[in-house]
Amino acid sequence: MENASRVAAECHGVKVPDSPMITPERAARINAARYEGQEIAGALDVIRPGDHVLELGAGIGLVGAIAAKKARPAKVLSFEANPGLIQHINALYALNDLQHIIEVRNEVLISAPDAPEYLPFHIRNSYLGSSLIDSDKRATTRVEVPTAAYEDVREGFAPTVLLMDIEGGELDFLRHANLDGIRAIVIEFHPEAYGKDGMRTCKAILERAGFAKVPAHCTRHVWTCTFDAEVQPPQPDAGWAVETSTLENALIVPPTEQKFVQPAGVLRADGKYHAAGALWRNGRALTIAPDPPANATATREGTWLWGGVLWMHFGHFLVESTSRLWALNTLQDQIDGVLFVPKRPRNGTEVHEFQKEFISLLAPDMPVECIAEPTKVERLIVPGQGFGLGKMIAGTDAFRAAITADFATDIAPDGPEKLYISRSGLPAGRGNLIGETELEAHLSAQGYAIYHPQNHSLTNQIATYKAAKHIIAAEGSALHLLAMVARPTQHVAIIVRRPSGATRNLEQHLQSFAGITPVTLSQLTRSWKPLGAAKPRLWKGELDMPALQQDLIAAGFIGASKTTWDPLDPSDVQSRLGDKFEEVA
């Protein structure tokens, strides 16, 4: 029964009693359904009758109360660290006769092992800014709040939905939390507490755990996401990466915006997302469920192979756009061609000659098309992602077998025995080695042919790589093509040009596909980047010439010499860089 408390505001049928937290401005926002509106809308969308809802950060109690009243869960368990709010939260529950559904505990729920018995909590004048993190100079009152173990709550309460707004504590919670059994999460991120990188880490943890955004209820700082057993990172030896599915009357939806993570991919005939068509990198889905398009008038008759995302970048094409082509090994005579969507919408239907050439070296005369508008396909075969960056760089057994059995098998070795694969001919800004022209002169004197792969066809590159016995290469995409055609007897050295995980991917690709353990030489005196924010792929590495010479001698790639290679002149390096680069700290 409703108690006698004065009602200060109301939202979604839940009455809010008067209290010191309910200012006139806040009451107006509550009445207009703008107070925590995104979280409330997301919660009402994903909570189902019978759910067990775990709420971290109850605030004034409104979000959890609305969920309890409107979504009809079996139980809501809320945790709130601020002791000053508990009586007002309970008053709100009582006013709306919700005590039998929802309860609040004045504890901090900790997912990390070996949690202390108490944690300090910093109370500010506004309860909205109170936090476990004392991150600024505003006056706070510190109190000690008891903790509870998340694992105990998870086992005893068995939550199926998680609501989280804990003013910056979500990063530490997600790092340790076991999310098994949770079907949906509504979370507010607080980058002011842990920075943009911390927010990206939160999102990456959720994505890697198999949670996909609900687009209608997601913004940059608030996510509503649901667990989908299909939305799991590919594994090289099991699961959907090694399987093939066939869809009747599928719908291919290309991306419409240039973003790193894009809504795009394959929808089934009933409009549901086919998660096995997604592109993953380093455990993160780069394509996520798109909304069904209002109109899809384009149609494609026949049987087609889903190729995925078509990258124009040479290296990403080799590693990510080829990842489903292993199925050509058995399906070549049963399909009408391969269908891609563009990574960049502005590229439209464009397919480069090198892309057509690569696929022709796997399946001669195979049609390749890129789709730039939503298109219904009569029959679409969707192979799993058999290759990629991160864990998938090793490739599945089926992908490696297809490359070994079918790729470029008719191309005979033709080229020098000593080869240096250069980047010096690439445009400035592609990530270069400072001192590479000097290196090339030294290697030429040692009998190495200097090779610029961008000036040659894939067929020429492959013939050249097959012929070489000793290969030295500036770290870059060319090594991915080498890995696909190399032999275990070849000797390969990688000259690192930047601090990057890309080098590890190249090493693993060579090892997994060709049985080659390359010699990786990291001899840079300094690294330089364009002024301001710049991605590592744009950095320039300044070679330590004497140290690099000694490494190459020790590894058997060049002969011993009485003459030491001259170090680069710092003033000359600065002249080459001009005033548009700064040293990387």
Side-chain angles (χ1 to χ4, degrees):
M1 179 180 295
E2 186 175 312
N3 69 15
S5 297
R6 188 177 78 84
V7 175
E10 184 173 340
C11 183
H12 288 282
V14 171
K15 297 176 175 61
V16 180
D18 193 18
S19 73
M21 281 74 66
I22 309 303
T23 63
E25 294 79 9
R26 190 162 294 141
R29 292 185 65 229
I30 293 171
N31 287 328
R34 290 187 290 107
Y35 174 85
E36 305 288 16
Q38 294 171 339
E39 290 91 327
I40 292 169
L44 294 180
D45 185 67
V46 298
I47 297 173
R48 299 172 183 168
D51 270 330
H52 284 201
V53 179
L54 177 62
E55 182 183 32
L56 305 188
I60 61 172
L62 183 60
V63 176
I66 291 174
K69 183 179 181 70
K70 300 288 289 185
R72 294 183 295 162
K75 188 73 175 175
V76 180
L77 175 60
S78 296
F79 284 80
E80 173 53 53
N82 190 339
L85 296 179
I86 301 302
Q87 64 174 333
H88 304 293
I89 295 170
N90 280 322
L92 187 150
Y93 296 166
L95 178 62
N96 294 278
D97 196 21
L98 296 172
Q99 307 94 310
H100 62 292
I101 300 176
I102 185 169
E103 67 169 299
V104 63
R105 298 181 186 176
N106 182 208
E107 297 173 323
V108 179
L109 195 62
I110 302 295
S111 61
D114 302 322
E117 188 176 353
Y118 291 87
L119 278 177
F121 185 77
H122 305 277
I123 301 175
R124 298 186 175 90
N125 289 336
S126 170
Y127 76 91
L128 291 173
S130 301
S131 173
L132 291 168
I133 304 170
D134 192 11
S135 58
D136 58 31
K137 298 180 180 179
R138 289 179 291 175
T140 63
T141 300
R142 172 171 166 156
V143 296
E144 298 294 318
V145 180
T147 65
Y150 168 68
E151 268 304 301
D152 292 342
V153 172
R154 192 180 73 84
E155 292 179 8
F157 183 67
T160 55
V161 177
L162 177 63
L163 310 180
M164 194 183 324
D165 182 0
I166 46 178
E167 301 300 326
E170 55 274 7
L171 176 58
D172 283 339
F173 182 85
L174 288 175
R175 277 177 169 155
H176 303 284
N178 180 348
L179 300 178
D180 290 351
I182 292 178
R183 182 181 51 75
I185 296 175
V186 181
I187 179 171
E188 180 173 349
F189 305 109
H190 296 84
E192 68 278 4
Y194 39 65
K196 292 180 180 178
D197 286 343
M199 183 167 68
R200 293 189 192 102
T201 300
C202 289
K203 293 177 178 179
I205 290 170
L206 293 172
E207 288 169 337
R208 289 170 186 166
F211 287 87
K213 294 194 298 181
V214 178
H217 297 295
C218 284
T219 64
R220 183 166 174 263
H221 287 162
V222 177
W223 269 21
T224 298
C225 46
T226 55
F227 178 81
D228 187 337
E230 291 184 326
V231 184
Q232 298 289 329
Q235 304 294 328
D237 54 359
W240 63 268
V242 301
E243 299 169 351
T244 297
S245 51
T246 301
L247 307 181
E248 304 291 336
N249 299 313
L251 179 62
I252 293 178
V253 182
T256 58
E257 297 180 12
Q258 173 55 32
K259 293 182 177 180
F260 183 63
V261 177
Q262 298 167 299
V266 178
L267 301 180
R268 303 178 188 124
D270 61 3
K272 294 182 179 179
Y273 182 52
H274 189 61
L279 169 63
W280 289 75
R281 179 191 297 178
N282 293 317
R284 181 183 187 182
L286 300 193
T287 54
I288 57 177
D291 292 328
N295 295 299
T297 56
T299 60
R300 183 77 55 150
E301 295 181 352
T303 301
W304 295 79
L305 186 80
W306 170 240
V309 176
L310 190 63
W311 288 82
M312 296 300 168
H313 182 280
F314 184 68
H316 287 293
F317 168 79
L318 290 178
V319 179
E320 296 180 309
S321 298
T322 68
S323 63
R324 301 175 190 274
L325 300 182
W326 59 270
L328 292 173
N329 184 266
T330 57
L331 296 172
Q332 184 173 348
D333 297 331
Q334 304 172 37
I335 61 175
D336 295 295
V338 183
L339 297 178
F340 290 92
V341 294
K343 173 60 181 174
R344 294 182 176 180
R346 69 170 181 262
N347 291 126
T349 60
E350 182 179 4
V351 182
H352 281 183
E353 286 304 315
F354 80 85
Q355 296 164 332
K356 295 177 183 177
E357 185 180 2
F358 183 97
I359 294 173
S360 73
L361 293 173
L362 263 175
D365 303 318
M366 177 62 62
V368 181
E369 298 189 36
C370 192
I371 290 177
E373 60 179 322
T375 301
K376 292 182 180 178
V377 181
E378 182 180 5
R379 185 174 298 102
L380 187 67
I381 297 175
V382 183
Q385 181 182 329
F387 191 38
L389 293 173
K391 182 182 291 187
M392 292 304 295
I393 196 66
T396 62
D397 288 345
F399 186 90
R400 292 195 308 273
I403 293 296
T404 300
D406 296 327
F407 182 64
T409 54
D410 294 336
I411 298 177
D414 184 12
E417 292 189 355
K418 291 184 175 182
L419 188 71
Y420 176 68
I421 304 175
S422 172
R423 294 181 62 87
S424 66
L426 294 175
R430 292 284 185 88
N432 306 95
L433 281 167
I434 303 172
E436 189 169 22
T437 53
E438 289 88 341
L439 173 62
E440 290 173 359
H442 290 305
L443 293 179
S444 293
Q446 293 279 337
Y448 279 83
I450 310 303
Y451 190 72
H452 299 277
Q454 71 276 10
N455 296 334
H456 303 276
S457 68
L458 286 185
T459 298
N460 182 277
Q461 292 176 49
I462 292 167
T464 303
Y465 298 160
K466 284 184 174 182
K469 293 181 179 179
H470 285 77
I471 300 171
I472 304 172
E475 173 254 308
S477 300
L479 284 159
H480 285 303
L481 183 61
L482 170 65
M484 291 180 170
V485 298
R487 306 179 312 279
T489 55
Q490 292 175 291
H491 302 281
V492 178
I494 302 174
I495 298 179
V496 174
R497 61 184 171 87
R498 56 179 174 170
S500 170
T503 306
R504 181 60 179 154
N505 278 304
L506 291 167
E507 293 171 335
Q508 292 180 310
H509 191 185
L510 283 160
Q511 178 62 53
S512 297
F513 281 64
I516 293 173
T517 301
V519 176
T520 300
L521 307 177
S522 183
Q523 293 293 359
L524 302 176
T525 56
R526 292 178 293 182
S527 292
W528 300 83
K529 71 178 187 66
L531 295 174
K535 296 180 179 179
R537 63 183 173 83
L538 303 177
W539 295 7
K540 295 176 181 284
E542 180 182 339
L543 288 172
D544 183 336
M545 301 301 290
L548 181 58
Q549 178 192 21
Q550 293 307 309
D551 280 356
L552 288 169
I553 291 171
F557 283 86
I558 62 175
S561 173
K562 295 180 180 180
T563 304
T564 301
W565 293 354
D566 291 332
L568 301 179
D569 186 311
S571 61
D572 181 52
V573 169
Q574 191 62 60
S575 177
R576 298 186 205 185
L577 291 169
D579 59 359
K580 296 182 178 180
F581 284 81
E582 60 185 350
E583 186 175 350
V584 178

